[in-house]
Structures are given as structure tokens and as C-alpha cells.
Amino acid sequence: MPLPVLSLMLVVFSLTTGEFVIAGILPDVAGDLSVSVPAAGRLVTAYALGMIVGGPVVTALTARLPRRPLIIGLVAVSIVGNLGSALAPNYPVLLAARFLAGLIVATFFAVAIATAVSMAAPGREASTIAKVALGLNLGIVLGTPIGTLIGQDHGWRVTFAAVAAVSAVALLMVLRFVPGAEAATGSLRGELRVFAGRDVRLAIVLTALGNVGVVTVFTFIAPLLTEIAGFGEGAVPVLLLVYGAGAVAGNLLGGRLSDRALMPSLIWLLAALAATLAIFWAAGGSKPLAVVLTFALGLLAFAVIPGMQARVLTAAGAAPTLAVAVNASGYQVAAAFAGWLGGTLIAGPGLRSLYPAAALLTVAGLATAVHIHRRDRRPAPAKV
């Protein structure tokens, strides 16, 4: 992996670890700050809100800055947010620090992807995106459990300090290896203008619809595996590692497939994802099959991401940064909706109904991908 791309991937790793590690140390945070576990859970919401708000707002405000200084500034804010989390004297300060840490994430993803693609060889854009996004997979599979262990052994504050330290190392690598000659991300007017194009709007809709179903299932994966598949609670971390292994493989596979045929590969991957969710509904009570399906679910859920990001970049043309950032914020909105939808379904038809609902939502994403592909194949209107 080229060192500039590796530097960006390490930042993504630290950002992802910082986002998800809170789940493993939540009881410790709640006990130390004398708040309830549900109140501590709002720290996750604060981070997500930072991403949702920061995606369009921070990207718009920094649209004219050159990419390398912008990346350096964004990583520096992340370090401050995580150090602030480690040193927070009380719950309100910690809440504000988590919001600050999340505020720059969507913008960083957008600028990092645009920077990596600008250094990629022609025809290798999607696989380059996949290499940057590998940091997300590793943050979930390795960073989160390691951060949890650090918190359990040394205290939750050390966990956030460790995340800040990894970000600092990544920042030093950015300073050393990421070239300084990138063009500016473009004017705010130019970035906003891309949303007038239907292709960009459809690409963002594709990301939301194509992911909301599988995110709904993943949000409630623990009770699905224990209550439907019949596994004990002790098996859940192992099965999450199985899911994570599938995610790593799927991320790299999706990048390669998208380089070869972007929209056709997305169509087939979304069809396979919908089918996997349907099979989980029909036969998820079998433990051996559930293990295989959990791996397949992780593989397919992350195989679609490089292609979706590449589609936004392609549709946005010369002004992609804000479009990619809004796309990342849209993913977080979809994740928030997934939590509400899953809770509503569990309270109504029951836990098992998550599978067919997720499959149907994925089919909606598939239909969007087919529509986009047909639009791409239409002949351009003749010039008069």
C-alpha cells in the first residue's frame, strides 16, 4: 500500500476506533461520571450528531482550503476532541468533546477519498477508496476490542488518550508522506452546484437505501444471534469477529469489482445482500448456517461501500468533496433511522421481522442501482 494512502487509512482507523469503542467502555464511563447507562449512551448520539452536522457544514466552510492543510487541521481537531474526552471532568464536557470529535469525521472521509483518488492510477479509483476504507474495517475488528481492553485494564480515559495518540502518529505520517501539491477542493458555489445534478442526488439515495437494511440488522445483531439462532451470549464476540473478517474481505473485493464494472458490480452485490438477508430470515435458526451467513453479511455489507463512494465521486465530477461528505452524513442519518425502525419492528411484529424488512429495503436500493445503470446507458442527446 502506498505510504500516502496508508497514512490516510491510519487516520480512518483512529476515527473509527474513537467512534465505536465507546460501546465497550460505556458502563465504566457511566459509573465513573455517576450517570445512568442510557445517559452515557447519548455520547454515541453526540458523536453521530457531530458527523451529521459536520458533514455539510464543515465541508462548506472549508471548501476553498487546499487539501493537505485541511487534512492536517481536521486530524488536529480529532486529537483535541479525544484528549478532551480523556480529560473531561464531568458528563457535559465529555458530551461536548464527543460532539467535537465527530464534527470533522465526514469532512475528513470526503477529503481523504478525494486526495487518495487524485493519486490513484486510472481505473484504480475504487480499489484505492477501498484501501482508505480498510481503516474503517480494522477500527471495528481490531481497534474497538483493543480499546475496550485498554479501558477495562487502565480506565476509560486511557482509551481515549490512546485513540488520540494513534491519531497523532497518523498526523505525523500525513505530514511526512501526503504530497503538498493537491489542488484546492473548489469554491463553495462549485461544490453546491453539483447537487443540482440528478446523478449526484441518485447516488446519495443509493447509499442510504442500499445500506439502511443491513445496518438495521447489524444494530440488533446480538439479540438476533442469541434469540433467533440460539447462540449463547459468549459466542457473540466471536461471531462479530467473523462479521469483521467478512467486512475486511468484502471491502477489498468490492473495490476490485467496482474498478472493473462499477454499476453492474453494485447491482449484483446488492442482489446478493438482499438474498442473504432473506436466507437469514428463512434459515437463520441453524447455527452452522448462521455462522456462514454472518460472514457473508459482513462481506456484502462492506463490498458495496467502495462502489457507492466511487459513484458519488463520478457523479460529482470536478467538485466532489461536499457531495462525499453529505453522502457520509446521509449514511449516519440512515443508521439513526435503522435504530428507530428496528425498535419499532421488534415492538410490533417481533425480532425476526428485521430480516424481511431489511431485505425489502435492500431491494429498494437495488432498484435504485438498476435505474442509475439504465440512465448511464442511455445515449447522450444529440448536439444541435
Side-chain angles (χ1 to χ4, degrees), residues 194 196-204 311-312 315-316 372 375-376:
V194 301
R198 190 176 181 185
D199 286 343
V200 171
R201 298 197 302 269
L202 280 173
I204 293 172
R311 178 64 194 184
V312 173
I372 291 172
R375 278 176 55 85
D376 289 349

Side-chain angles (χ1 to χ4, degrees), residues 52 207-209 211-213 215-216 328-340:
I52 292 168
T207 296
L209 288 178
N211 285 287
V212 66
V215 171
T216 301
S329 294
Y331 184 93
Q332 291 298 316
V333 172
F337 174 76
W340 171 85

Side-chain angles (χ1 to χ4, degrees), residues 135-289:
L136 190 152
N137 306 137
L138 295 176
I140 295 172
V141 176
L142 295 178
T144 298
I146 291 173
T148 300
L149 288 174
I150 290 173
Q152 290 173 347
D153 290 342
H154 303 287
W156 62 270
R157 295 180 185 276
V158 180
T159 295
F160 286 122
V163 172
V166 174
S167 296
V169 172
L171 179 57
L172 292 176
M173 292 183 65
V174 168
L175 290 168
R176 173 66 178 85
F177 297 116
V178 174
E182 300 90 347
T185 58
S187 68
L188 176 57
R189 180 177 297 179
E191 294 284 344
L192 289 172
R193 192 179 296 126
V194 301
F195 293 101
R198 190 176 181 185
D199 286 343
V200 171
R201 298 197 302 269
L202 280 173
I204 293 172
V205 169
L206 172 62
T207 296
L209 288 178
N211 285 287
V212 66
V214 70
V215 171
T216 301
V217 168
F218 183 73
T219 300
F220 298 94
I221 192 71
L224 285 167
L225 291 172
T226 55
E227 297 181 31
I228 304 298
F231 289 100
E233 290 185 1
V236 172
V238 177
L239 290 167
L240 287 176
L241 286 174
V242 171
Y243 181 95
V248 172
N251 181 61
L252 298 175
L253 174 65
R256 292 178 181 177
L257 291 176
S258 297
D259 278 340
R260 296 178 182 177
L262 179 55
M263 290 312 302
S265 67
L266 275 176
I267 288 169
W268 284 109
L269 288 169
L270 285 168
L273 180 57
T276 300
L277 290 163
I279 295 170
F280 234 137
W281 175 45
S286 165
K287 288 183 179 179
L289 188 57

